[in-house]
């Protein structure tokens, strides 16, 4: 894989500092049942890294110490960590809101039949990836058969009450572009998803979040090998909006790797860029002693992926697009 970091390290991205911590995002490991072309984690079926229970216990202690409200679980496929159910049970018992970043196909994997009913019983918010409502686009990005499998899995979640406002089980979907272009306006795309998924498959969901592809890891390598890296980063940089820097996720979220080390976001974790960019990596246990409030954030060229256009975060767009704003593309 071609390394995009040397092209991103020197950057004029504005300096940022942290606000109060609201979310602990735990990466439970890089194991995944599929292997997507855009995956910034470089996750897949052969990865073996995973968070152990003592590290999870430490994370819960940090959450209690700093009155963190949300535990955001990601991977890989977080449910493939054997301690997933223990962690969710302990976090819910401690009164935390839990979000699971779900690759819906895991629900159909043999041995993972428990996933959907378990999430519903624990009232976990599900954030499910469905990068397009077109079968061809999804399968091109994620692999053959992934779209059909995802649709069946989303129906299963609906059967359990997800996406039904009366039941209060939240199902949000994630869209990311199938190539080197910015996401289209979130509100308009959400309306298209609602209409198409309902009419075609009878699927309901709460919100659609649009995320920009980051020029790092597998996608960064793809851009370099196709001669599109500089052009794509140029598109991100040209679309930067300063007002988006107030709401980027790294201000209130800290990303934790499977060993307990801290990063300003999941992207920085994958780049090996420690929290604040200092030489000594910080660990969860450091957070038991002192908070991160006001600490500097490690920024570089990829950060324009969060501030371009309508902005992008793990909760989707940051602002609504300007009237008449067009989708920028690299062909
Ligand atoms: S499902 Fe998610 S974690 Fe797994 S390979 Fe695809 S993008 Fe990566
Ligand atoms: S890439 Fe990470 S550090 Fe940079 S702006 Fe986005 S969330 Fe913040």
């Amino acid at each position: 894989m071609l390394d995009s970091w040397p092209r991103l390290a020197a950057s004029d991205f504005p300096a940022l500092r942290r606000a109060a911590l609201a979310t602990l995002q735990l990466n439970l490991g890089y194991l995944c049942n599929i292997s997507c072309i855009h995956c910034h984690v470089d996750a897949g079926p052969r990865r073996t890294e995973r968070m152990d229970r003592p590290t999870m216990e430490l994370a819960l202690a940090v959450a209690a110490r700093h009155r963190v409200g949300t535990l955001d679980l990601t991977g890989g496929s977080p449910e493939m960590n054997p301690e997933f159910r223990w962690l969710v049970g302990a976090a819910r018992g401690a009164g935390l809101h839990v979000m699971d970043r779900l690759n819906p196909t895991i629900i159909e994997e043999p041995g993972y039949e428990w996933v959907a009913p378990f999430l519903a019983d624990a009232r976990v918010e599900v954030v499910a990836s469905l990068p397009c409502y077109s079968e061809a686009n999804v399968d091109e990005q994620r692999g053959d058969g992934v779209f059909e499998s995802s649709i069946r899995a989303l129906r299963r979640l609906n059967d359990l009450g997800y996406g039904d406002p009366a039941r209060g089980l939240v199902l949000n979907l994630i869209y990311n572009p199938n190539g080197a272009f910015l996401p289209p306006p979130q509100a308009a795309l959400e309306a298209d998803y609602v209409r198409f998924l309902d009419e075609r498959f009878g699927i309901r969901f709460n919100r659609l979040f649009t995320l920009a592809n980051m020029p790092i890891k597998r996608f960064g390598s793809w851009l370099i090998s196709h001669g599109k890296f500089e052009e794509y980063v140029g598109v991100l940089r040209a679309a930067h909006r300063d007002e988006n820097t107030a709401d980027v996720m790294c201000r209130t979220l800290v990303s934790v790797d499977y060993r307990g080390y801290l990063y300003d976001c999941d992207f920085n974790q994958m780049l090996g860029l420690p929290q604040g960019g200092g030489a000594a990596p910080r660990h969860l246990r450091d957070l038991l002693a002192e908070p991160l409030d006001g600490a500097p954030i490690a920024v570089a060229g990829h950060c324009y992926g969060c501030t371009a256009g309508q902005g992008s975060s793990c909760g989707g767009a940051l602002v609504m697009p300007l009237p008449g704003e067009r989708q920028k593309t690299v062909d």
Side-chain angles (χ1 to χ4, degrees), residues 112-163:
Y112 290 90
E113 298 81 4
W114 55 268
V115 169
F118 174 79
L119 294 173
D121 283 349
R123 302 193 70 75
V124 170
E125 176 183 338
V126 170
V127 183
S129 43
L130 188 68
C132 193
Y133 52 75
S134 144
E135 180 169 357
N137 282 351
V138 172
D139 285 0
E140 182 186 332
Q141 185 179 114
R142 312 207 121 200
D144 288 345
V146 166
F147 183 79
E148 273 192 15
S149 171
S150 299
I151 292 296
R152 286 193 299 270
L154 294 176
R155 279 183 168 145
R156 173 90 179 103
L157 290 169
N158 279 172
D159 290 345
L160 290 162
Y162 273 100

Side-chain angles (χ1 to χ4, degrees), residues 182 215 228-240 301 304 308 328 330:
L182 287 175
K228 297 181 176 187
F229 185 87
E230 304 303 339
E231 198 178 348
Y232 181 64
V233 172
V235 164
L236 298 180
R237 197 169 174 285
H240 168 76
Y304 286 109
K328 315 281 195 310
V330 175

Side-chain angles (χ1 to χ4, degrees), residues 274-310:
Q275 193 286 314
R282 301 174 89 167
H283 194 269
L284 272 173
R285 50 183 169 265
D286 299 325
L287 281 185
L288 288 175
E290 56 172 340
L292 286 174
D293 305 27
I297 294 168
V299 295
H302 62 297
C303 294
Y304 286 109
C306 291
T307 58
Q310 62 190 330

